[in-house]
DNA sequence: CTGAAAGCGCTTACAG
DNA sequence: CTGAAAGCGCTTACAG
């Protein structure tokens, strides 16, 4: 009763169609030297036609552990955050598509990653993160999700995204715009803060920072902080640029409970555009699936010994009902 | 510079030590017929001695897609919940250990699971869940994380856990004990509720239910609900049995903001014992890693065509500072 | 009950 | 530049 599994073409099928040996196909597919450019092109075209997907199993069998990719989360308190969850999920799919096998390493077990995996993706980077050094010293190729540095890395355009959101509020006539952040000291927040400051500077407005202590439950913490602040001075802000959708949710709920109208009296923006969570929020969308796919692509380059590079992934302002 | 990977023994090594063919080793390892009990025992002993780990790659290569296991989440609003994240992470590791490859299917893409995976694990079951039927009709062996039914399933002792927590509060002298739940109508909550009622019945106390609407942010929602309720009647409860650690966190924060002493004036218990999140909370611990491992074991039985069974995983009351 | 051999899909020396 | 062949670790007919 089970549906016929879509028979995916293998290397032999491509070789047959191209009229060459499987060795040549393998070389073309893996960007290996020792094959003419013309043949490579022809083989790549055919492999696209037949929607070739490499077999994770076969590759892994040969390379030993090389196809096993360890995914490492940075700190305990990051591990349960929705953004990382989604990234992790997309990474799983993207790796599988490339014939690689994901295996998860919680923060406290990352030390054993080099023994079990042939490559790594590092999420949730933090200050003085020892993991890049760990990977390097064990000869494990890796990609970071984070700001440009010495190794391969991918990051969304944090600064630009927050700039867009802030400018959007400015253009909507807001004048008392605060930035609500999780942990303003982190390098990550610093980037986003930069975008906020730039937009305010351009408009000649004053900056106002709300620094929520890093927390397991940003929505609740944001809610409490804003509730207290506005209890004393309800008109303190007419715009809130939040660093994450979660913080924005907490702020929205606080405004609702205080009877302040959104977006009439206060406009709110988020960041991430998380499914379900973002809802009717005006926010900055990151392409999480795209970031995952790019990480895997870069990991391929790292495994091939190519020189490290950083890729900045585009973001987009999504205007909804809170601004 | 990289550390020597711990050379794991393969099937050939075991065959050599046992003085038999690799075919016999394979039969012994996979519980296949056509081998004497004595030989099987001997081989299994040796394979334990050498800490044999089957090669995911080799098995998958042979079985086609059979080693690819689709992990499906039930509903969008479950996908970002910490409990499921952790379960998912442990599942990744447990599957890998058994030579299987996890691939993630978000709620809205579960329909394509049968095409891409040879087996499935279903998380976050809900009422009228169509997924078991979907898997069955496509001939995909699967295991549910959920209450006993017609198919393979694993679940923690929900009822017993809440019973333990409630009885613990009763024995601590509490008399106005409420049950705080996420979605009391769900089959899942019904089990937990049962444990609560039983403990109260035994003590001759009245039940009191607090039904928080199912929500993306249980901590915040619980916080707001409890804050309002206690604003009118601060002494309404002297004990709160929460269905999850997240709800308990929200309640604790509300009590703190209201100036009610924990555990002096109100005792609070959670459920799950999530890392970091549980903190100093008295809670009921589930062995998430154990549940993951058991799911994978049952999946093996399902793939082998054995008759379905349900496994109930033990829980444990962990008394900390909130009771 | 047990073993020798083929083969899963791929990569990589080794020849040419 | 290209191909024939060996081999990664395992399972499974096929013989005995």
């Amino acid at each position: 009763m089970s549906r016929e599994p879509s028979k995916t073409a293998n290397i032999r099928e491509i070789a047959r169609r191209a009229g060459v040996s499987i060795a040549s196909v393998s070389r073309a597919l893996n960007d290996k030297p020792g094959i003419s450019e013309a043949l490579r092109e022809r083989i790549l075209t055919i492999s696209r036609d037949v929607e070739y997907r490499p077999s994770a199993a076969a590759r892994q069998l040969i390379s030993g552990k090389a196809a096993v990719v360890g995914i490492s989360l940075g700190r305990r308190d990051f591990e349960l955050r929705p953004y990382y969850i989604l990234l992790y999920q997309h990474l799983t799919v993207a790796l599988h598509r490339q014939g690689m096998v994901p295996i998860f390493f919680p923060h406290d077990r990352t030390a054993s990653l080099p023994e079990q995996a042939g490559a790594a993706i590092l999420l949730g980077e933090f200050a003085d993160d020892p993991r890049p050094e760990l990977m390097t010293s064990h000869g494990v190729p890796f990609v970071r999700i984070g700001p440009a540095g010495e190794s391969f890395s991918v990051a969304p355009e944090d600064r630009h995204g927050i700039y867009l959101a802030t400018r959007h509020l400015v253009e909507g006539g807001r004048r008392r715009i605060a930035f609500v952040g999780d942990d303003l000291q982190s390098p990550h927040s610093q980037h986003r803060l930069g975008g906020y400051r730039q937009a305010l500077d351009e408009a000649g407005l004053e900056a106002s920072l709300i620094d929520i202590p890093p927390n397991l439950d940003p929505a609740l913490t944001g809610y409490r902080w804003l509730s207290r602040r506005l209890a004393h001075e309800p008109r303190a802000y007419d715009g809130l640029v939040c660093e994450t959708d979660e913080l924005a949710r907490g702020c929205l709920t606080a405004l609702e409970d205080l009877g302040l109208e959104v977006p009439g009296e206060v406009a709110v923006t988020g960041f991430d555009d998380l499914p379900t969570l973002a809802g009717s929020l005006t926010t900055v969308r990151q392409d999480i699936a795209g970031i995952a796919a790019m990480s895997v692509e870069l990991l391929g380059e790292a495994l091939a010994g190519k020189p490290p590079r950083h890729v900045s992934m585009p973001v987009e302002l999504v205007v909804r009902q809170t601004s």
Side-chain angles (χ1 to χ4, degrees), chain A residues 81-161:
Chain A
R81 295 285 287 267
Y83 174 74
Y84 288 101
I85 307 323
L86 285 168
L87 187 50
Y88 178 54
Q89 294 176 354
H90 281 108
L91 239 16
T92 296
V93 173
L95 286 169
H96 185 259
R97 198 165 282 158
Q98 289 305 310
M100 299 190 233
V101 177
I103 148 163
F104 180 83
F105 289 84
H107 171 236
D108 52 357
R109 251 179 286 151
T110 296
S112 65
L113 190 154
E115 291 168 31
Q116 297 183 50
I121 295 178
L122 273 27
L123 315 188
E125 206 167 22
F126 49 95
D128 296 319
D129 196 333
R131 296 175 298 161
E133 164 61 17
L134 179 71
M135 299 304 142
T136 304
S137 70
H138 285 267
V140 177
F142 67 98
V143 171
R144 292 178 298 107
I145 310 287
E150 293 171 6
S151 42
F152 281 99
S153 54
V154 190
E157 292 176 319
D158 282 316
R159 183 189 168 96
H160 183 60

Side-chain angles (χ1 to χ4, degrees), chain A residues 177-316:
Chain A
I177 305 173
F179 180 80
V180 185
D182 234 344
D183 179 10
L184 296 186
Q185 307 315 316
S186 72
H188 187 246
S189 280
Q190 286 297 316
H191 273 121
R192 295 193 174 180
L193 242 180
Y196 165 76
R197 288 195 199 276
Q198 182 187 342
L200 287 195
D201 280 354
E202 290 177 6
L205 296 174
E206 288 275 306
S208 168
L209 306 185
I210 299 181
D211 193 358
I212 307 287
N215 193 275
L216 280 167
D217 206 317
L220 176 52
T221 314
Y223 173 92
R224 290 167 74 210
W225 196 97
L226 194 62
S227 297
R228 278 191 206 134
R229 175 78 178 88
L230 296 186
H232 297 136
E233 192 185 344
R235 307 267 161 239
Y237 314 111
D238 61 5
L240 297 172
V241 174
C242 301
E243 203 187 332
T244 65
D245 286 349
E246 294 169 275
L247 280 172
R249 296 271 305 190
C251 290
L252 283 176
T253 307
L255 292 169
E256 184 189 327
D257 284 0
L258 288 162
L260 287 165
E261 209 187 312
V262 175
E265 295 173 273
V266 186
V268 177
T269 66
F271 201 110
D272 289 339
D273 197 24
L274 298 176
T276 324
L277 224 165
S280 64
L281 185 66
T282 289
T283 191
V284 178
R285 176 183 298 157
Q286 315 195 30
D287 177 9
I288 300 186
I291 291 175
M294 179 54 71
S295 308
V296 173
E297 189 175 327
L298 290 183
L299 197 64
E301 295 185 11
L303 283 164
K306 300 195 177 170
R309 63 188 180 109
H310 173 82
V311 175
S312 193
M313 299 291 290
V315 297
E316 179 192 1

